[in-house]
Amino acid sequence: MKKKWWHDKVAYQIYPKSFLDSNGDGIGDLRGIISKLDYLKELGIDIIWLSPIYQSPFVDQGYDISDYYKIAEEFGTMEEFDELLAEAKKRGMYILMDLVVNHCSDKHEWFQKALSDPEGEYADYFYFVRGKDGKAPSNYRSYFGGSTWEPVPGTDKYYLHMFAKEQPDLNWENPKLREEIYKMINWWLEKGLAGFRIDAIINIKKDLNFPSFAPDGPDGLATCVKMVEEVQGVGELLEDMKHATFEKYDAFTVAEVFNMKDDELREFIGDDGHFSTMFDFSAHELTFGEHGWYDSRHVEFKEWRDTIFASQQEVQDIGFQANIIENHDEPRGASRFLPAYAQNEAGKKMLATTSLLLRGIPFIYQGQEIGMTNCRMADISEYDDISTKDQYQEALNAGYTAEQALQCCYENSRDNARTPMQWSKGKNAGFSSGTAWLSLNPNYTQINVEEQAERPDSVLSYYRELIALRKSPEYRETFTYGRFIPAYEEEERVFAYRRVSEESGQDILVAANYGMEPCTLTLEGTGGKILLSNMGREKTEENEGNGQKSLTLDSCEAAVILLQ
Ligand code: TEU
Ligand code: CA
């Protein structure tokens, strides 16, 4: 495997709207981000991914871009963005923007021009397709509900949108469109970006016949994912983009890929893959229901663990995945992956330990490092997210009561991750002096940065230690390149694996007890040295130093041990 500059880095996702508001308008901004670079540096972060900050009507919170060359006024100015780049550089940190090019906003100049001249050049930047028998060209259901087809006024054509109708899909078959996109990517890379997180990229390839599929819901539609799964040839488009852009800059790219075909891993993230890396969503996908949030699955510990193990093993001879517990589309990991008895500081540290020391690039989502949780809203009107509104309605349509539908949102809503960052116990959690754009999680009075920053046994302090261990000169090689080997798999409540490196000669055991009862593990050889513990274990006498042959982990206890 070729060594790359980003292999040993730790990344952090900022959702700018909810990070820190510096001017009291209730919306997080670039100035707020700049002011927290030292906080992130101290946490041990190298790479920062910003969710979209481009000009946008915010129908889908910035994932609907109306001008790729402008910073949204809400977030600040291009000068402030340049300042952010410079300040990050000063600290040896890298900035990634979000590349959203499957679609743009319906307010983008290209789409406006296309609407005003549906036979003209810009119509070809989109999919303007003639209907069949007075109906839409196919029966696809969009990701956010309803048909993917919207009539083009004054014509017998429809335009395609896989997401909201305000997010028309861009026509990647059109070389002119591709040129425009590449030009824009290179413009940002020239500015000094380190690379991009790439949004919903698998969707750029369409089957131009737009075949209909058997309906899979009461609305008579079939999910548009079907078409994505069946169509071939996305790889050619991805290679074309890579050669025209990222490759020339040695840029880091992390792709959001759902629905990849089984044998495509090497093509996507191998040594000469389309991308540097892509997110491992395998654990998250386990919970996905057949129809939506209302029939989402409850996942048992063992299935969750084994899925992560399988994914680690599948990828390690091919490339690097990006490991997440949560992101801006997912509920909070602490609420989702920890059983009720583990939803406390020990449990959150345990989850961090088993996740951050996996092989791959850890991506921490803002607030995860202090253990932020899902947020209960009293009414559907308190939610902002377009997908939440749709999923709530889907649940009602399926016969759920309003209360049950709200419970589905509590467990699954994307807004769980979007409530403002909890900086302090002061007004609006220190996020804003005005009125925050989205309700705060009321638990900010207990869970906040200010309280945790100086407390040595806080979740935040633990994240700092954990990241420092991963990046330490002694163990960096092993945690970066060491093989992943599952351990104690027969223990039904234990999440344990070894990281073994020929280069360093080290064999490190990461072990955690997700169960309710203590669990004893027998250690091979002469035992080992504790490198990290979420329960202050290194201080206990019986485990001090070398020579221990067994390890009894309490409920929610995690330990990292250098085996000897
Ligand atoms: O998400 C793409 C996407 O496919 C998700 O809707 C996915 O199906 C879902 O998260 C599974 O839980 C990206 C962005 O991350 C999301 O915020 C945007 O809304 C979407 O693209 C459209 O740009
Ligand atoms: Ca602001």
Side-chain angles (χ1 to χ4, degrees), residues 263-317:
D263 50 1
E264 286 179 336
L265 198 55
R266 192 175 297 276
E267 222 184 278
F268 275 61
I269 57 165
D271 266 345
D272 299 305
H274 309 315
F275 309 112
S276 309
T277 179
M278 63 190 216
F279 293 109
D280 181 5
F281 291 120
S282 56
H284 305 78
E285 281 174 289
L286 286 176
T287 65
F288 292 179
E290 202 185 323
H291 296 106
W293 295 351
Y294 68 85
D295 63 357
S296 64
R297 292 179 57 233
H298 173 78
V299 181
E300 290 298 331
F301 168 78
K302 195 168 174 303
E303 187 187 8
W304 173 66
R305 178 196 72 179
D306 292 351
T307 299
I308 295 173
F309 282 10
S311 174
Q312 286 277 302
Q313 287 170 292
E314 185 190 1
V315 85
Q316 64 181 339
D317 292 317

Side-chain angles (χ1 to χ4, degrees), residues 117 248 394 499:
D117 182 8
K248 301 192 218 170
E394 288 289 323
R499 298 297 311 279

Side-chain angles (χ1 to χ4, degrees), residues 413-452:
S413 174
R414 309 201 297 181
D415 279 346
N416 281 310
R418 299 177 183 184
T419 61
M421 178 70 184
Q422 298 168 194
W423 294 106
S424 74
K425 66 173 181 337
K427 184 186 175 196
N428 289 326
F431 162 71
S432 170
S433 60
T435 307
W437 73 278
L438 185 67
S439 324
L440 285 116
N441 191 322
N443 69 15
Y444 72 82
T445 50
Q446 285 93 51
I447 302 177
N448 62 69
V449 172
E450 189 181 52
E451 191 280 324
Q452 294 191 20

Side-chain angles (χ1 to χ4, degrees), residues 13-59:
Q13 178 187 357
I14 289 182
Y15 195 71
K17 199 164 179 180
S18 302
F19 191 62
L20 182 57
D21 171 22
S22 70
N23 62 354
D25 65 357
I27 296 175
D29 44 49
L30 292 175
R31 184 70 41 223
I33 295 173
I34 295 170
S35 73
K36 290 296 177 186
L37 287 175
D38 287 329
Y39 166 79
L40 296 175
K41 183 72 188 171
E42 200 186 334
L43 180 57
I45 301 304
D46 307 294
I47 297 178
I48 299 170
W49 152 29
L50 305 176
S51 272
I53 53 170
Y54 313 85
Q55 180 181 295
S56 165
F58 288 90
V59 168

